């Protein structure tokens, strides 16, 4: 399986991003159900997302350049710096705001992914964790930083509830390496910048290639330097619905979640953020397809 998928341009709180998941052709890769790539962009396109809720998922932010302030309804106030992972477990409900911080070189580069929570965890209490030390290795000129899950002999610290992996891969110059994969996982690669080759095929920036499952290795290379993201996981066994900032199992749950947020119930409030609360769109009458 080698399926080339595009990304689409979306405006997120004033910042132009490329959305790789979900797409028409592919909704999920393992439990990964959402993948946005922001930047590299000048700070004039800063991200300012006011308080908004999440449910049934974990938000996973990987900061490459620039800084984003995270504030949530549990009272966490955390600056996310380059090389750090921010993992917020929404469970039955949480709210947060995400605001990029201006900096002199004017760059902002990040990926935000969402992880669908399985049935046993999706109603859990909300939580928040921040990780500053991530394991990694270098092979054939490719620098691999393990963001979550296990890869080869490494294990990353973030707590997730489905077998999955996320790795940041980069090459400063010419590079060529073979990575060992988990054959039970399905995988995809997203080009972030520069020149990347996957199994000998070019991977453009903001292109997603779905690689399917049953692969034992992956050949990655670059002629002059490049940066890409590898995501994978055990195919998610439950059909999910994704609407706005929520993951649910049926339309009634979606309608209720939006109504609860708009009525200031369930999710809590984000204090100390000088931005208006986002309004949940009404899901009443929408026909959801799992
Ligand atoms: Mn959010």
């Amino acid at each position: 399986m080698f399926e080339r998928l595009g990304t689409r341009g979306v405006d997120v709180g004033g910042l132009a991003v490329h959305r790789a998941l979900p797409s028409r052709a592919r909704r999920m890769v393992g439990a990964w159900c959402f993948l946005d790539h922001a930047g590299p962009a000048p700070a004039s396109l800063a991200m300012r997302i006011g308080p908004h809720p999440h449910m049934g998922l974990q938000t996973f932010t990987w900061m490459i350049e620039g800084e984003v302030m995270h504030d949530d309804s549990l009272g966490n106030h955390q600056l996310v710096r380059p090389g750090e992972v921010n993992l917020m477990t929404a469970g039955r409900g949480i709210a947060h705001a995400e605001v990029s911080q201006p900096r002199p070189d004017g760059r902002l580069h990040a990926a935000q992914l969402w992880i669908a929570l399985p049935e046993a965890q999706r109603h859990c209490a909300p939580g928040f964790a921040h990780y500053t030390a991530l394991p990694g290795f270098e092979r054939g000129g490719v620098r691999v930083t393990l963001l979550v899950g296990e890869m080869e002999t490494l294990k990353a610290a973030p707590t997730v509830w489905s077998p999955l992996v996320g790795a940041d891969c980069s090459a400063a110059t010419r590079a060529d390496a073979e990575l060992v994969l988990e054959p039970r996982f399905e995988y995809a690669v997203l080009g972030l910048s520069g020149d990347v080759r996957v199994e000998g095929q070019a991977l453009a920036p903001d292109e997603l290639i779905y690689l399917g499952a049953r692969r034992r290795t992956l050949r990655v290379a670059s002629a002059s330097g490049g940066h890409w993201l590898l995501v994978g996981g055990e195919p998610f066994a439950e059909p999910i619905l994704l609407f706005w900032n929520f993951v649910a199992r049926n339309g009634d749950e979606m309608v209720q979640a939006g109504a609860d947020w708009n009525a200031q119930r369930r999710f809590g409030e984000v204090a100390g953020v000088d931005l208006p609360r986002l309004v949940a769109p009404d899901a009443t009458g929408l026909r959801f397809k799992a």
Side-chain angles (χ1 to χ4, degrees):
M1 175 91 66
F2 197 94
E3 187 182 5
R4 281 180 191 278
L5 303 169
T7 57
R8 60 200 162 95
V10 181
D11 181 285
V12 175
L15 182 70
V17 307
H18 286 92
R19 182 156 299 160
L21 291 176
S23 69
R24 225 174 268 279
R26 181 139 303 273
R27 310 288 299 278
M28 302 177 79
V29 176
W32 300 106
C33 62
F34 181 95
L35 171 48
D36 267 3
H37 176 215
S44 55
L45 299 173
M47 175 174 76
R48 293 174 61 78
I49 311 177
H52 61 278
H54 285 286
M55 171 183 82
L57 56 88
Q58 293 175 293
T59 65
F60 187 97
T61 304
W62 166 233
M63 211 68 215
I64 300 165
E65 291 179 89
E67 296 178 339
V68 167
M69 183 61 79
H70 161 100
D71 283 279
D72 66 39
S73 51
L74 300 176
N76 295 294
H77 176 74
Q78 177 68 56
L79 187 63
V80 196
R81 298 179 190 83
E84 299 180 349
V85 162
N86 184 314
L87 180 65
M88 183 178 80
T89 302
R92 60 177 175 257
I94 194 170
H96 72 156
E98 299 155 283
V99 180
S100 63
Q101 309 294 296
R103 56 173 233 178
D105 71 0
R107 284 170 72 88
L108 179 66
H109 193 191
Q112 190 178 78
L113 303 95
W114 296 352
I115 302 166
L117 288 169
E119 186 59 34
Q121 274 78 34
R122 70 187 188 100
H123 302 292
C124 72
F128 172 81
H130 186 71
Y131 302 92
T132 57
L134 306 168
F137 60 89
E138 189 146 348
R139 179 177 304 149
V142 175
R143 177 76 208 164
V144 176
T145 303
L146 184 62
L147 308 179
V148 57
E150 293 177 38
M151 192 170 173
E152 304 198 8
T153 59
L154 298 179
K155 189 170 167 31
T159 302
V160 291
W161 303 98
S162 299
L164 57 77
V165 69
D168 178 280
C169 306
S170 62
T173 176
R174 189 176 185 83
D176 192 338
E178 192 163 75
L179 305 177
V180 178
L181 302 186
E182 165 53 61
R184 289 178 302 122
F185 285 9
E186 55 181 348
Y187 286 90
V189 282
L190 175 67
L192 300 181
S193 65
D195 117 76
V196 183
R197 295 189 84 77
V198 176
E199 295 293 345
Q201 312 268 333
L203 172 69
D206 290 307
E207 180 178 32
L208 184 79
I209 295 178
Y210 177 70
L211 298 162
R214 292 181 293 281
R215 283 177 188 269
R216 297 186 174 279
T217 60
L218 190 68
R219 185 82 178 271
V220 288
S222 178
S224 55
H227 197 173
W228 66 103
L229 212 56
L230 173 70
V231 293
E234 223 169 74
F236 199 70
E238 302 166 40
I240 66 161
L241 303 180
L242 193 155
F243 177 70
W244 198 46
N245 294 309
F246 304 134
V247 167
R249 297 298 186 270
N250 61 60
D252 290 347
E253 290 178 1
M254 283 298 183
V255 171
Q256 191 61 52
D260 283 350
W261 169 251
N262 289 343
Q264 305 198 8
R265 294 187 297 258
R266 187 193 330 186
F267 296 94
E269 297 300 317
V270 182
V273 172
D274 188 26
L275 285 171
R277 255 172 141 262
L278 306 194
V279 176
D282 187 3
T284 307
L286 291 184
R287 298 169 68 88
F288 290 101
K289 274 192 293 187

